[in-house]
Amino acid sequence: MANLTTWRATVLTLFPEMFPGPLGVSLAGKALASGVWTLDARDIRESATDRHRSVDDTPAGGGPGMVLRADVLAAAIDAAQIAPERPRLLMSPRGRPLTQSRVRQLAGGPGPLVVCGRFEGVDQRVIEARNLEEVSVGDYVLSGGEIAAMALIDACVRLLPGVMGKAESASEESFSDSLLVYPQYTRPQTFEGRPIPDILTSGDHAKIASWRRAEAERLTKARRPDIWASRENVPKGTTKE
């Protein structure tokens, strides 16, 4: 049974049957079943007013595709009766990139309303009128915002208290300190001639921690120079968020 402090995700979509989808299994699914968080997937078409349940129309000024109507989406948002303190997000490829820092903020709050875009986009007027924060999960285009919404929600849910097995797990992952995670190893001791690095079986925890930090920095420099550059731009004595 959910309580008053339960983290909530409200999703506005044209395809509510897609939810919970992968959010209903593994860590997120167990937490959903136990009431750690709740999911309310609502059909935008329920706010349509014509007999055809139309939600889109041709773009003003011409062009290909269709655009999600401002009046219909605004009505769907209003019908959800979201509390003022809950963030209102629109999954969009033109939004600000989702970061682990933003995920932590969202996980620490009451839970967002997430609008899943479709077609060529959403009427700009409803974005402004309902104060939607546009969020992107990467520099690519999906058929709709549902998969992106699932990624955002999963990233938040796994940070909720009690969802992950060990509290320290989240502090040693990629992006937790604006670094990619260090290489991981487990049994067998040797795999196809490749042994586990000796330092990891030495029992010297200080040296292990130093090795992991160095490896995380090496990988970040090589694979994500953008993240490394942002770290270097943080003034000394401050913490990168």
Side-chain angles (χ1 to χ4, degrees):
M1 179 70 68
N3 57 50
L4 295 178
T5 61
T6 297
W7 193 87
R8 293 172 291 167
T10 303
V11 179
L12 298 186
T13 171
L14 295 176
F15 301 98
E17 63 273 17
M18 292 179 67
F19 294 85
L23 296 174
V25 298
S26 191
L27 292 178
K30 292 178 181 179
L32 181 61
S34 64
V36 173
W37 70 289
T38 63
L39 174 65
D40 180 19
R42 305 171 68 95
D43 191 347
I44 295 173
R45 290 190 188 278
E46 292 182 357
S47 296
T49 57
D50 67 337
R51 64 188 181 93
H52 299 294
R53 304 181 75 200
S54 302
V55 297
D56 59 331
D57 210 331
T58 56
M66 305 292 280
V67 176
L68 194 58
R69 288 172 46 160
D71 55 346
V72 175
L73 182 54
I77 293 172
D78 295 344
Q81 298 182 328
I82 298 302
E85 65 270 18
R86 295 181 65 191
R88 299 181 176 193
L89 312 178
L90 169 63
M91 307 313 298
S92 167
R94 75 176 192 181
R96 291 183 177 178
L98 182 65
T99 64
Q100 191 66 18
S101 175
R102 183 64 178 127
V103 167
R104 284 195 297 267
Q105 292 173 354
L106 292 170
L113 166 77
V114 185
V115 177
C116 301
R118 278 277 162 176
F119 314 119
E120 293 300 312
V122 173
D123 191 308
Q124 181 66 29
R125 293 170 296 179
V126 71
I127 297 175
E128 298 170 357
R130 294 300 182 269
N131 193 30
L132 299 180
E133 174 191 344
E134 296 185 72
V135 179
S136 170
V137 294
D139 296 336
Y140 48 87
V141 179
L142 299 169
S143 298
E146 287 78 13
I147 294 175
M150 292 177 189
L152 181 146
I153 293 170
D154 181 80
C156 292
V157 168
R158 62 196 305 279
L159 296 184
L160 300 179
V163 173
M164 297 184 69
K166 294 183 178 180
E168 63 266 25
S169 294
S171 66
E172 296 189 2
E173 298 178 319
S174 287
F175 312 116
S176 61
D177 189 27
S178 296
L179 289 172
L180 300 184
V181 74
Y182 47 80
Q184 298 278 16
Y185 300 86
T186 188
R187 291 179 290 183
Q189 178 67 30
T190 300
F191 169 70
E192 295 185 352
R194 296 173 173 85
I196 296 175
D198 291 339
I199 186 68
L200 297 181
T201 57
S202 67
D204 190 324
H205 297 294
K207 288 184 178 180
I208 290 173
S210 178
W211 180 89
R212 285 175 168 171
R213 180 73 180 193
E215 285 295 294
E217 292 181 352
R218 178 185 64 81
L219 287 172
T220 304
K221 289 179 184 178
R223 299 182 183 180
R224 292 296 302 272
D226 55 323
I227 295 178
W228 186 256
S230 70
R231 287 175 54 83
E232 292 185 325
N233 290 333
V234 176
K236 292 183 178 180
T238 63
T239 300
K240 175 69 177 175
E241 289 293 337

